[in-house]
Amino acid sequence: MIYSRVLITGANGLVGQALVKLLSTMPVYDVLATGRSSQPRFVGGSCGYVPLDVTREEAVKQVFMDFAPDVVVHCAAMTKVDQCEQHRDACWQVNVEAVERLARWCHRTGSRLIQLSTDFVFDGTNGPYREDARPNPVNFYGKSKLAAENATRAAGLDRWSIVRPVLIFGTGSQLSRSNFVLWVVRELTQGRTIQVVTDQFRTPTYAPDLALGIEKIIRYRKHGLYHLSGRDLVSVHAFAHLIAEAFDLDPSLIQPTDASAFSQPAARPARTGFIILKAESELGYKPRSLQAALRHLGTQLGLPTTAS
């Protein structure tokens, strides 16, 4: 049996943990998980773990020399949009220079690089988007991720893939940051009122589905750009109501508002979302509906659900 040696960066994050959980169950993969923490935050996972700061050249070199990966799935990133806007040098170092570093080492060693990107490379004026749509980011986070996409291509001919998700949600162990669904559940469970925008539209992505799509890219040795999100295009406000309905929470606590009500350092694209026909036809990618994803998430959280 020929094993694929898969290096995962950012393995303690939401997507990284979903990948570790999935790939660890598949004997064809030899997985090395990495993250900035000295110890893994995820529970279980039949894989090795080493600390890795992707902004340090010597650390990256050592991992490539020791593990000799066939595939690198790069999930590590600075993803807090307003933080990226306010701390641009740090954002660029993590989101762009680290990718350039990984791409160089992939090129030197013949490894394949799979880079996790974002819908925020688009301006939100004409969503949902296909892969051939022209990017035009409206904030620094989006600009950094677009630059990272360009850096990924330096890994070499037919040795790179770029994966763009949208509004990722799910759960994991000791996550360093929350996500929209967990936030809504927490606030409504505590009986707190939340304001949610009606003028931003997305195709939310369930982390386990995203992991399944990435695994298919690895398995089929696919090259190029793939949009991997859910199918359902909803306003963020409508999504919050679906969450409330799924977990039998009080929807009257969800107050409608629009983007103009928030004074945030970074602009947000109004209407992104993806057309995922390419992933469906080339990869056999089949994301759950939002209701099914929320029902599945409820089992992970140990919460009763009413989603049908």
Side-chain angles (χ1 to χ4, degrees), residues 137-203:
V138 297
N139 55 50
F140 195 78
Y141 168 67
K143 291 175 182 177
S144 74
K145 295 300 279 186
L146 181 57
E149 290 187 6
N150 294 331
T152 298
R153 292 173 170 84
L157 184 65
D158 296 340
R159 290 199 174 274
W160 60 268
S161 300
I162 294 165
V163 171
R164 291 177 182 152
V166 181
L167 192 60
I168 307 169
F169 68 96
T171 191
S173 174
Q174 302 180 66
L175 294 173
S176 61
R177 61 171 301 183
S178 187
N179 57 74
F180 184 73
V181 173
L182 297 184
W183 173 73
V184 170
V185 170
R186 184 189 71 226
E187 296 301 299
L188 298 189
T189 299
Q190 296 298 318
R192 290 191 284 262
T193 299
I194 58 175
Q195 290 189 317
V196 185
V197 293
T198 59
D199 57 350
Q200 292 179 5
F201 292 81
R202 306 286 186 258
T203 49

Side-chain angles (χ1 to χ4, degrees), residues 44-63:
S46 178
C47 65
Y49 179 86
V50 296
L52 175 64
D53 181 350
V54 292
T55 66
R56 294 181 56 240
E57 177 73 24
E58 284 303 313
V60 172
K61 175 183 177 181
Q62 193 65 51
V63 167

Side-chain angles (χ1 to χ4, degrees), residues 98-108 113 151-156:
V99 180
E100 293 172 341
R101 185 173 297 109
L102 289 169
R104 284 196 302 271
W105 278 103
C106 285
H107 189 268
R108 291 173 186 171
L113 178 59
T152 298
R153 292 173 170 84

Side-chain angles (χ1 to χ4, degrees), residues 242-263:
L242 285 174
I243 297 164
E245 179 184 348
F247 297 105
D248 198 22
L249 299 169
D250 185 359
S252 69
L253 295 171
I254 305 169
Q255 295 186 345
T257 186
D258 57 47
S260 66
F262 298 95
S263 56

Side-chain angles (χ1 to χ4, degrees), residues 131 223-227 275-284:
E131 285 85 351
H223 161 75
L225 176 61
Y226 288 91
H227 284 177
I275 296 167
I276 59 171
L277 181 61
K278 179 182 177 182
E280 289 177 317
S281 59
E282 294 188 11
L283 302 176

Side-chain angles (χ1 to χ4, degrees), residues 8 68 107 204 206 209 280 288 293 308:
I8 301 174
H107 189 268
Y206 188 37
D209 290 343
E280 289 177 317
R288 298 167 175 88
S308 59

Side-chain angles (χ1 to χ4, degrees), residues 215-269:
E215 189 279 326
K216 289 176 181 293
I217 290 174
I218 298 171
R219 188 197 324 169
Y220 300 141
R221 298 181 178 273
K222 286 295 186 177
H223 161 75
L225 176 61
Y226 288 91
H227 284 177
L228 298 183
S229 74
R231 295 188 188 93
D232 303 311
L233 179 68
V234 292
S235 72
V236 179
H237 181 264
F239 188 27
H241 271 269
L242 285 174
I243 297 164
E245 179 184 348
F247 297 105
D248 198 22
L249 299 169
D250 185 359
S252 69
L253 295 171
I254 305 169
Q255 295 186 345
T257 186
D258 57 47
S260 66
F262 298 95
S263 56
Q264 297 169 305
R268 268 66 167 176

